[in-house]
Amino acid sequence: MITEDDIRHVAAMMRLDISDKDDYAEKVKGMLEYFDVLDSADILEEDILVQEINISNLRDDEHVSHSSIQCKSQNKRGHLRVPRLG
Amino acid sequence: MLEQTATSLVDMISSGETTAEYVIEQTIKQIEDTSQIHAFLHVNKGAVQQAKEIDRRIKEGRRVGRLAGIPVSIKDNICTKQYPTTCASRMLDGYTPPYDATVIRRLLDEDAIIIGKTNMDEFAMGLSTEFSAYGPTLNPHNPDIVPGGSSGGSAASVATHTSTISLGSDTGGSVRNPASFCGVVGFKPTYGMISRYGLISYANSIEQIGPMAKSISDISLCMSVIAGPDRNDNTTAGLTSVLFTDTHDVAKNPKVGIVRQMASNDNRIQNVLDKAVERLSAHGCTCEEVSLEMVDYSVAAYYTITSTEAASNLARYDNIRYGYNMDHTGYEYHQYITKARAMFGAEVKRRIIAGGFVPSAGYAGRYFLKALKVKSRLTREIDKMFESYDYLISVTVPILPFRMGEKVDDPVSMFLVDMNTVTANLTGKPAISIPYGMVDGLPVGVQMMANTTEDAKLLQFAQILEEGHTQ
């Protein structure tokens, strides 16, 4: 039996303050109760399909040596310069 | 002018019948005239200047792209380097990404004009666009009615002719649902057909960027620009490029399955589907009722999986890695993060909490693993179905577009609106919503699904319904 205290505990772990509304616990409880419909699905013997990605299709990693990122021009004020995004 | 399809507008601009500048000026005026619909969160102030540059290149006889001068709107969860990207959340207030999503780069390479960023449910969590932190979008057919969601701003922008094409994202129907509610065409491609690089993640194992437009040929044109492999998204790696604007060989007398579990209880909506089936039968299709048993569990599985992924994806919004401008003085570390995350809206908080709960120790077997098993069984069921049938058909949404506020406080009744759309996401199949009728002055869409990577064939086949609807 899931209690409203259980839900408040999870909210705290997710770093969410739910004091702005009174009904978070009640509504999340309603959602979880709806998910209980999964109990009636005949899927006990079902294997879970996983998506496989062939690693040969991935781009190559570029090795950057530790010494090269420690040179002074790239390490001002203790910050490291990393490649531009995009 | 603005009622024209992209295909026509491109011809008119490149032939000199009109100019990109005129099209964009008229579009900006239309955005101002329809501002009460609230389709846009941000409008591109430099659009006219960009259009002038395209006109200049045409005049000089230089090459222009396949979307030269076409106004394209973009859902606000797709990263744009030049414009803010907020996911309709206070959490990302004022955020402008440092890079363009792959789809944006591909549109710009073909000279599309990004006309603005469209409203949405916060972080794409919702299906009515009522959960935007910046206020709801209204349905262009009736302002008391929701436009659908979460890409409601995109659908409304196409319906109000404030963009010719719009890009949305579809995690459980977020392109097809608003397309149906606003009377436009919406397409969710095969998972991996379009790069998600630059799409701000909600539930990345199933979500896809998808186009909306006034016609299927415009969807094909847009797909021919934005689809294809991308080294920045390894889920696109296994797919070869598909020629969307070519004619493909399709079965002469296709078999179409009418999914029993997706029937509507509303006879007026079911009549729209019956007319679509009649049309297909008249074109030599064999249409038969079929059963996909796992559809009955698909919505629960979908929300269990997406909540789990959302809780993980949205953990990064701690105001240290991502967030808005909030002074840290006087806060202890965890207290600061909790205070910063108060900017999430109620629906996002609810889903994060549910997503923290369902995969947790002691509950994962009861919820998350079962949801994954339902997803697997549903995939096997539909794969088996496509051994015997070429396409599956249903109404896109089993209920009529509903009134503002009607379901906003009842998450579970809102979930059930997704009943017919989540299957395509959970199984990775392509699906399209085509407007096919009006009930009480509101549009009703018909959904067609095809097997994985048969996107181009689906678009070609669906034209039978589009022609039937416009005749």
Side-chain angles (χ1 to χ4, degrees):
Chain A
M1 178 74 178
I2 298 163
T3 66
E4 295 196 355
D5 281 345
D6 292 335
I7 290 166
R8 287 182 204 287
H9 175 64
V10 171
M13 288 198 298
M14 308 305 285
R15 304 271 175 259
L16 289 174
D17 176 4
I18 54 172
S19 62
D20 59 326
K21 283 193 174 194
D22 296 332
D23 60 356
Y24 280 112
E26 180 199 327
K27 285 193 173 149
V28 172
K29 200 171 165 206
M31 289 163 69
L32 296 172
E33 282 167 3
Y34 173 68
F35 296 167
D36 283 338
V37 72
L38 294 170
D39 289 340
S40 49
D42 179 21
I43 36 119
L44 279 182
E45 303 301 317
E46 189 71 23
D47 290 328
I48 294 172
L49 292 172
V50 290
Q51 192 177 2
E52 291 178 17
I53 306 269
N54 189 342
I55 58 169
S56 66
N57 290 329
L58 302 182
R59 66 184 175 204
D60 293 330
D61 282 335
E62 280 179 42
H63 175 69
V64 180
S65 68
H66 187 62
S67 56
S68 72
I69 58 173
Q70 277 198 320
C71 75
K72 280 184 182 172
S73 63
Q74 292 177 313
N75 197 14
K76 286 175 185 167
R77 291 174 302 191
H79 297 167
L80 293 178
R81 185 182 294 275
V82 296
R84 287 178 66 84
L85 286 168
Chain B
M1 164 72 73
L2 298 182
E3 286 85 0
Q4 297 288 333
T5 62
T7 320
S8 306
L9 272 182
V10 166
D11 287 343
M12 291 166 72
I13 292 169
S14 58
S15 68
E17 189 180 335
T18 187
T19 63
E21 181 184 356
Y22 181 72
V23 169
I24 297 301
E25 277 176 352
Q26 292 301 303
T27 304
I28 300 275
K29 184 175 179 303
Q30 179 74 353
I31 290 173
E32 288 164 4
D33 292 347
T34 59
S35 61
Q36 75 283 0
I37 298 292
H38 196 217
F40 287 85
L41 294 179
H42 178 84
V43 178
N44 174 11
K45 293 188 174 70
V48 173
Q49 196 54 42
Q50 291 161 13
K52 281 180 182 172
E53 171 61 20
I54 288 166
D55 289 333
R56 190 174 63 78
R57 281 163 47 202
I58 291 171
K59 250 186 187 168
E60 291 171 357
R62 291 163 60 194
R63 180 202 168 273
V64 289
R66 286 176 286 169
L67 292 173
I70 299 301
V72 179
S73 63
I74 306 292
K75 188 176 181 179
D76 206 31
N77 62 348
I78 299 174
C79 287
T80 44
K81 194 175 177 177
Q82 303 294 327
Y83 320 111
T85 300
T86 67
C87 290
S89 178
R90 295 284 178 205
M91 182 56 83
L92 285 176
D93 219 6
Y95 173 67
T96 301
Y99 69 102
D100 278 328
T102 296
V103 289
I104 300 298
R105 258 189 277 162
R106 290 179 178 177
L107 287 171
L108 293 175
D109 285 347
E110 295 295 340
D111 292 320
I113 308 276
I114 307 300
I115 198 72
K117 303 296 292 285
T118 53
N119 200 10
M120 56 184 281
D121 287 296
E122 184 177 4
F123 283 102
M125 296 182 198
L127 37 96
S128 64
T129 319
E130 291 169 289
F131 294 126
S132 166
Y134 303 100
T137 296
L138 313 183
N139 191 313
H141 294 269
N142 182 337
D144 296 327
I145 300 290
V146 301
S150 62
S151 314
S154 286
S157 77
V158 174
T160 53
H161 311 299
T162 50
S163 63
T164 311
I165 294 171
S166 189
L167 293 190
S169 65
D170 192 314
T171 311
S174 286
V175 163
R176 290 160 287 154
N177 167 306
S180 175
F181 278 16
C182 291
V184 302
V185 184
F187 182 54
K188 197 242 25 130
T190 294
Y191 183 78
M193 189 64 75
I194 297 177
S195 168
R196 285 178 298 104
Y197 180 67
L199 170 66
I200 294 179
S201 293
Y202 155 29
N204 34 315
S205 75
I206 56 175
E207 67 199 354
Q208 273 289 273
I209 290 172
M212 286 184 241
K214 292 167 200 157
S215 72
I216 295 173
S217 60
D218 282 2
I219 298 281
S220 299
L221 175 63
C222 182
M223 286 297 292
S224 71
V225 170
I226 64 174
D230 176 18
R231 67 192 293 271
N232 289 321
D233 177 359
N234 62 25
T235 61
T236 66
L239 292 171
T240 52
S241 294
V242 177
L243 298 170
F244 282 93
T245 47
D246 285 10
T247 303
H248 297 267
D249 291 334
V250 291
K252 276 195 175 155
N253 297 105
K255 286 187 79 176
V256 178
I258 309 160
V259 184
R260 182 187 306 154
Q261 287 80 0
M262 295 181 183
S264 171
N265 292 327
D266 185 330
N267 287 336
R268 300 167 302 170
I269 295 175
Q270 202 58 22
N271 285 342
V272 173
L273 179 66
D274 291 344
K275 282 182 185 156
V277 170
E278 276 172 28
R279 167 92 185 162
L280 293 176
S281 300
H283 274 71
C285 301
T286 304
C287 301
E288 298 169 345
E289 190 173 89
V290 297
S291 178
L292 286 172
E293 287 178 19
M294 283 298 118
V295 166
D296 289 339
Y297 309 101
S298 60
V299 174
Y302 164 80
Y303 278 99
T304 302
I305 292 167
T306 54
S307 295
T308 303
E309 293 190 27
S312 173
N313 278 319
L314 273 62
R316 74 191 67 171
Y317 300 100
D318 53 10
N319 260 32
I320 296 166
R321 288 166 291 183
Y322 290 93
Y324 55 97
N325 189 14
M326 180 183 141
D327 187 13
H328 62 273
T329 312
Y331 290 102
E332 176 270 331
Y333 179 70
H334 291 306
Q335 187 192 23
Y336 176 79
I337 294 172
T338 304
K339 179 73 179 172
R341 285 163 68 82
M343 281 298 201
F344 284 134
E347 179 65 11
V348 172
K349 283 185 185 173
R350 286 195 286 260
R351 294 202 198 187
I352 292 176
I353 298 167
F357 207 97
V358 293
S360 62
Y363 291 99
R366 181 170 164 189
Y367 296 112
F368 188 60
L369 294 179
K370 276 186 188 159
L372 291 179
K373 286 186 173 191
V374 166
K375 179 176 184 270
S376 298
R377 174 73 68 83
L378 181 62
T379 305
R380 286 184 225 277
E381 273 187 357
I382 204 166
D383 283 344
K384 180 92 182 147
M385 196 64 73
F386 280 124
E387 288 175 9
S388 308
Y389 293 87
D390 298 287
Y391 305 100
L392 297 177
I393 192 169
S394 67
V395 287
T396 308
V397 186
I399 60 167
L400 280 181
F402 47 91
R403 299 187 83 76
M404 288 277 173
E406 187 180 320
K407 296 181 187 294
V408 76
D409 283 325
D410 187 356
V412 174
S413 86
M414 192 83 101
F415 288 176
L416 297 173
V417 179
D418 283 337
M419 179 59 89
N420 293 1
T421 47
V422 296
T423 293
N425 302 84
L426 289 171
T427 60
K429 307 298 180 195
I432 188 168
S433 178
I434 309 137
Y436 208 73
M438 299 289 281
V439 173
D440 287 351
L442 295 168
V444 174
V446 166
Q447 173 181 251
M448 298 206 71
M449 273 188 277
N451 207 354
T452 308
T453 71
E454 301 221 319
D455 302 49
K457 282 186 183 174
L458 174 62
L459 292 175
Q460 187 174 316
F461 181 71
Q463 286 181 357
I464 295 174
L465 291 186
E466 183 177 51
E467 288 156 11
H469 177 55
T470 50
Q471 276 169 6

